[in-house]
Amino acid sequence: MSNAAVLNVEGLKVSFLTETGRVTAVEEVGFSVARGETLVILGESGSGKSVSASVVMDILECPPGTVDSGRVTLDGTDLLGMEPKTRRGINGARIAMIFQDPLSSLNPVYSIGTQIAEVVNVHQGGDGRVRAIELLGRVGIPDPETRFGQYPHQFSGGQRQRIMIAMALAMKPDVLIADEPTTALDVTVQRQILDLLRELQDETGMAIVLITHDLAVAARMADRVVVMKDGRIVESGDLPTVASAPKHPYTRALLGAIPRLEQARQAALSGVEAKVLLRVEGLSKDYDLPGAPFRAGRTVAALRDISFSLDAGTTLGVVGESGSGKSTLARVLMGLDQPSGGTVQYDGIELFDMSPRDRRRFHREVQMVFQDPFGSLNPRMTIEDILCEPLAIQKDILPRRAWRDRAAELLELVGLQTGHLARRPGQFSGGQRQRIAVARALASQPRLIICDEAVSALDVQIQAQIIELLAGLRQSLGLSYIFITHDLPVVRSLADQIIVMNQGRIVEAGETGGLFASPAHPYTRELLAASGLPDWMAEVVRQL
């Protein structure tokens, strides 16, 4: 690895014009990364990590954002003062970026293969199809020749993120900026992607700037680490040194949040007789293959013979890799998709035979936190309107005069300020948007919340806060949860029972402690082996 910095950022200051005046988002930020080196930028949502990366990529929205001062150089060449035409030749070719949100970054009207090939065509010329198919295979997309012609909506969240990684790597860039590149991925695919990035780095000598809130990812990848808070760098150095002897209180708090996620789950409600709230028997869901009538009668089984029950006041964890059927299961349980077979009973009533009155009660008592906060929040609505919408639909929850106070209370519950009520989703980071989505789910005072990767976009401290919030609400309100995740330490801390899904089927189910202590199925053992911190990092955390 060369010691010469290929990318250098000095004295960066960025501010945004808001309704209340100009706000500084990044202050005196500086870092560098050499060829073959991986620099990890750690910090909570809103700390300025993604804003700094946006300046490097020249995609800062101006206005309202402004680069007030600072310098960004690539091999000594100033990027901030470069002509736009020259800069366009660099972005995608010499500097590439993997964005946090794959769905909003992929064009829904073009096939994914066309979008990857376009990068090659623009910067290199010729037909990029062969290179695109090769990259799809390398990032783990099955049958890449066929899936080349499919569209973003035909892939799971994790698969879309893999497609974004393939697109960023198309030109073998000198610098790869990866903004939460594995957030949507299950642990086994996450490990494959990180190994792939390391392998490509070894082949090409590219520098990687990895932005993450996941300390396990940082521990596996970092040569050096930069810790950011409130727009400033508060600590930097090699990760073993920073982790074993953190100097800043925020770094110590960041590391101290990890054991809280791996603590044993809270006990089930005591003194309450178990009552089955949700019962699922023999549930199946088939999807017709696109291209009918030419493929008439051909289907894909997303769910096959799923059976389980959920007692009131308990939590069921659903674990499995992307494409295993977890999100399809959630959609069927919410009544958004009609099953191909089987039954779903809520509080003793068949879900798909409910009367209008029972259906209305169901939609009040069962809420969902979706995986993608970018797509689940209306960008035109204020946060106050978003949080008050369930109250407007279910008019008997609270009188209108109390709506704003309830919205403010919900924001405080999820760690946001009441002053954010007048803002819109586009003014928040990914993690902050997910907190807003959690707050919205709580607005109608539900009995059951289905969480589809509800904390996957959050930094470790906010993850711990949200998990503690959900557990506390379960105790105080008797809430039940179905918690869908690829993060086993998180599900271990919250769930009473766990089901493990693979290829649309349940391959293992059981009480949380027993399943973690003695997994029976090889796939469960593989998931456990791929999750968690490296041994050296886990030992450091235990000693804090």
Side-chain angles (χ1 to χ4, degrees), residues 155 448 506 521:
F155 295 83
L448 170 62
I506 295 177
H521 197 276

Side-chain angles (χ1 to χ4, degrees), residues 385-405:
D385 290 338
I386 287 171
L387 297 182
C388 290
E389 186 178 35
L391 305 177
I393 294 172
Q394 301 283 349
K395 301 181 185 299
D396 57 340
I397 299 177
L398 285 175
R400 187 180 182 88
R401 63 179 179 275
W403 289 1
R404 181 179 175 84
D405 289 342

Side-chain angles (χ1 to χ4, degrees), residues 187 317-321 324 326 483-488 491-492 498-502 505 507-508 515-516 523 527:
V187 289
V318 181
V319 178
E321 64 185 352
S324 64
K326 307 188 307 295
F483 203 88
I484 298 170
T485 184
H486 63 261
D487 192 329
L488 276 81
V491 77
R492 183 178 190 175
I498 292 177
I499 63 174
V500 180
M501 295 186 63
N502 187 25
R505 295 181 180 272
V507 298
E508 187 164 359
L515 187 142
F516 272 79
Y523 178 69
L527 288 178

Side-chain angles (χ1 to χ4, degrees), residues 111-129:
S111 72
I112 57 100
T114 299
Q115 294 182 63
I116 298 172
E118 182 184 26
V119 178
V120 179
N121 297 340
V122 167
H123 291 286
Q124 198 175 59
D127 184 5
R129 178 185 174 87

Side-chain angles (χ1 to χ4, degrees), residues 461-482:
Q461 281 190 299
I462 303 302
Q463 273 190 2
Q465 292 171 17
I466 294 297
I467 292 298
E468 289 178 356
L469 169 65
L470 294 176
L473 291 169
R474 169 183 153 178
Q475 294 292 307
S476 61
L477 303 176
L479 283 174
S480 304
Y481 299 106
I482 294 177

